[in-house]
Amino acid sequence: MVDQPLQPFAPPSALFAQLHLPDTISAGVAVTWALYIVFAFWALYTLVAVYHWLKYSHASWVAFPAIALHLFISFALMAYALSGNAFSLTPYLP
Amino acid sequence: MKEFELEPGEHVVLQVRKHWFLFLAELLPYAIMAIVPFALPKLLVLAPPLAQYAAFFDFTTPLMRAAFGVWLLVTWTGAWSAFTRYFLNAWVLTNQRIATIKQQRFFNREVSSLLLPRVQDVTTNISGVVFSLLGIGDIKVQTASEDVEFVMRGIPRPEQMRDLILKYVSTKPQTTNI
């Protein structure tokens, strides 16, 4: 095997610059749709988890605060991922 | 209780879950995952050959912010899922039986009962320095038939649980038809 010098690591922005997306789709739109797909999986998972909480938590008082906290934190993180604003979490995020 | 119907005269004596320390231990990987994006740029700066890569963690760009948001969302959902599993797994002692409720994963739930008159032997086991200090241990409840045994792992104050089981075993003497 021929020795070759190590190639420098390509940063993600350079990778995106090399992506040849169709002219009609911008990188920003692709990222947004990728986020929507992730959020759809999150919604499905949350729906199943909430079903289990409500069915099996024996009407415990913990169920509703736990679900509410999960929804609040998740929506804040989604808002951060989409727009950079994350309700009251924004000061703590980079 | 919706999982199993209580018999007339039956009441719940104690309901226990895994010790909170074991739950926190389950959260540790998620805590590390959450800290990594904050800590990695600072750690990379400390290593001169890798310092140039610290610039990639620029969370002012939409792409990095989206990646960071998704990373934290996955981490948070995983941690919340761990709490869900912790909460939905329980052992219930009534004055007539012991019930174990195992939520192994979503849509996989096992509820089993052991009548107290069938209990022959109750063994507790606490091993390790941390477990001894925090009072975390296991209980093994055995019946006359060798293949039936209930094991509760990582519960708080197992001696108290054992004493309660033995108390309710002895307060309801087994009746025979002889």
Side-chain angles (χ1 to χ4, degrees):
Chain A
M1 191 174 179
V2 180
D3 289 338
Q4 291 181 343
L6 286 173
Q7 295 297 315
F9 178 77
S13 55
L15 282 174
F16 261 81
Q18 291 170 7
L19 275 179
H20 296 292
L21 293 169
D23 293 339
T24 51
I25 302 173
S26 68
V29 171
V31 169
T32 306
W33 275 101
L35 286 177
Y36 286 156
I37 291 168
V38 171
F39 298 159
F41 275 107
W42 170 90
L44 190 65
Y45 187 87
T46 299
L47 206 64
V48 170
V50 167
Y51 165 79
H52 280 77
W53 268 105
L54 297 181
K55 189 171 169 67
Y56 298 123
S57 66
H58 315 305
S60 168
W61 64 270
V62 179
F64 288 103
I67 294 167
L69 181 70
H70 172 60
L71 293 178
F72 177 77
I73 301 270
S74 295
F75 285 139
L77 292 174
M78 285 179 196
Y80 177 78
L82 283 170
S83 67
N85 295 314
F87 311 128
S88 54
L89 296 183
T90 303
Y92 307 104
L93 295 171
Chain B
M1 304 293 291
K2 288 180 183 174
E3 305 285 347
F4 52 91
E5 291 295 325
L6 293 176
E7 299 292 328
E10 185 179 16
H11 63 270
V12 174
V13 176
L14 188 67
Q15 183 171 352
V16 291
R17 293 186 172 80
K18 254 188 209 177
H19 196 278
W20 57 264
F21 180 78
L22 298 177
F23 168 60
L24 285 186
E26 277 184 38
L27 287 186
L28 193 61
Y30 300 106
I32 292 169
M33 277 178 70
I35 290 170
V36 161
F38 293 93
L40 204 55
K42 294 178 175 63
L43 291 175
L44 287 174
V45 170
L46 297 176
L50 302 172
Q52 55 179 321
Y53 302 122
F56 300 147
F57 294 89
D58 177 13
F59 295 114
T60 57
T61 63
L63 180 64
M64 284 307 288
R65 211 166 47 215
F68 181 56
V70 168
W71 176 268
L72 286 185
L73 182 68
V74 169
T75 304
W76 165 254
T77 305
W80 188 69
S81 176
F83 177 63
T84 303
R85 278 196 308 276
Y86 162 77
F87 195 82
L88 297 185
N89 280 282
W91 293 281
V92 184
L93 173 66
T94 75
N95 59 335
Q96 293 184 11
R97 59 183 150 162
I98 306 166
T100 65
I101 303 167
K102 288 182 191 168
Q103 183 79 52
Q104 280 147 355
R105 54 185 173 272
F106 291 137
F107 301 112
N108 187 340
R109 194 168 173 85
E110 183 186 309
V111 180
S112 45
S113 297
L114 173 66
L115 295 173
L116 290 179
R118 294 182 62 198
V119 171
Q120 291 280 310
D121 184 41
V122 184
T123 310
T124 60
N125 177 32
I126 300 175
S127 65
V129 177
V130 177
F131 279 28
S132 298
L133 289 174
L134 294 174
I136 306 170
D138 304 336
I139 289 190
K140 191 161 72 175
V141 182
Q142 283 181 303
T143 64
S145 60
E146 288 180 3
D147 57 332
V148 180
E149 67 173 35
F150 266 35
V151 183
M152 309 179 207
R153 296 189 192 282
I155 66 166
R157 297 183 298 280
E159 299 97 340
Q160 185 195 356
M161 184 74 168
R162 178 199 59 206
D163 293 346
L164 270 174
I165 292 170
L166 293 176
K167 178 186 165 190
Y168 281 94
V169 167
S170 58
T171 53
K172 191 174 171 72
Q174 205 166 356
T175 54
T176 60
N177 294 325
I178 299 172

